Amino acid sequence: DIDNYVKALKKALITFHNRKMANINKTIKELWQKTYRNSDIDYIQIKYEESGSRGSHNYRVQMISGGTKLDMRGRCSAGQRVLASIIIRLALAETFCIDCGILALDEPTTNLDEENSRSLAVMLQQIIKDRSAQSNFQLIVITHDEKFAQMIGRRQFCSHYWYVHKDENQHTKLLMQEVQD
């Protein structure tokens, strides 16, 4: 009986894992195609393979261009890596943290060109709009890019943001900033 239970459990876990990976990759593809503004990569996905008999997996990020699948490692720019990292984290959050109230991004525009930065802001605006009915939702963006902060912080999404800076004595100060129209 225990052997049958173990086999059934392994089968259920494999089915669950495959279903979740399909959901994650679907979300990654949608977000990439909505956000990435260059034409060299059609979309990205997480490729996984079982390794060993203990059910462990190896994961890697692939880019698909014209039907050709290539590992991203060593083949993409710093901006592409940053965008891929953000999109993968957003897809994981969408898949596993449906009612998660906080989405935090630290310097999301690092190494992004202006067009992809603007596109990321539009994607985040959509996430804010989609989550607006969720009473506990908060978007925390840590950035030095004030233009990006203004792009996400449109008046229809929020009324203010917090600007953190150091005064002349090197003490950290918080200033509430109104969002510009």
Side-chain angles (χ1 to χ4, degrees):
D1 282 347
I2 291 179
D3 286 339
N4 289 337
Y5 172 76
V6 169
K7 287 177 187 175
L9 181 60
K10 282 183 180 181
K11 184 178 178 182
L13 286 172
I14 290 169
T15 301
F16 176 78
H17 179 265
N18 290 340
R19 191 176 306 137
K20 288 299 180 184
M21 287 306 301
N23 290 344
I24 290 165
N25 278 327
K26 180 180 181 248
T27 303
I28 289 171
K29 182 178 180 178
E30 289 170 1
L31 292 174
W32 185 268
Q33 290 176 335
K34 286 180 186 175
T35 308
Y36 188 64
R37 291 293 160 228
N38 299 337
S39 60
D40 56 332
I41 301 173
D42 299 332
Y43 62 95
I44 63 171
Q45 67 181 10
I46 297 175
K47 177 73 175 170
Y48 61 96
E49 297 162 344
E50 253 188 83
S51 64
S53 61
R54 299 187 58 125
S56 62
H57 291 81
N58 289 325
Y59 298 89
R60 63 183 191 275
V61 180
Q62 289 183 326
M63 56 186 179
I64 292 78
S65 181
T68 303
K69 297 177 182 178
L70 296 168
D71 286 350
M72 282 189 86
R73 180 172 289 207
R75 290 189 173 95
C76 61
S77 70
Q80 290 167 331
R81 284 193 308 269
V82 167
L83 192 58
S85 173
I86 291 169
I87 286 174
I88 290 168
R89 284 185 277 152
L90 291 171
L92 289 169
E94 284 295 313
T95 302
F96 293 109
C97 307
I98 299 301
D99 293 324
C100 181
I102 297 175
L103 175 60
L105 300 173
D106 185 12
E107 297 291 352
T109 58
T110 300
N111 296 317
L112 292 184
D113 61 26
E114 190 171 332
E115 190 176 6
N116 283 306
S117 181
R118 187 174 34 258
S119 185
L120 177 61
V122 169
M123 182 182 64
L124 290 174
Q125 287 173 350
Q126 187 61 47
I127 289 171
I128 293 167
K129 183 179 176 186
D130 292 346
R131 298 271 186 100
S132 64
Q134 187 178 335
S135 64
N136 66 340
F137 180 69
Q138 294 180 46
L139 175 64
I140 301 170
V141 178
I142 301 161
T143 185
H144 290 92
D145 187 345
E146 290 183 43
K147 187 175 179 182
F148 179 76
Q150 284 294 331
M151 281 190 280
I152 334 176
R154 300 286 183 212
R155 188 147 312 270
Q156 70 263 32
F157 302 118
C158 64
S159 60
H160 65 276
Y161 65 94
W162 294 97
Y163 179 74
V164 181
H165 70 100
K166 297 217 182 247
D167 66 13
E168 62 278 350
N169 297 318
Q170 295 301 305
H171 296 117
T172 301
K173 299 291 181 183
L174 289 172
L175 290 173
M176 187 171 80
Q177 298 287 309
E178 294 295 318
V179 174
Q180 299 172 5
D181 286 326

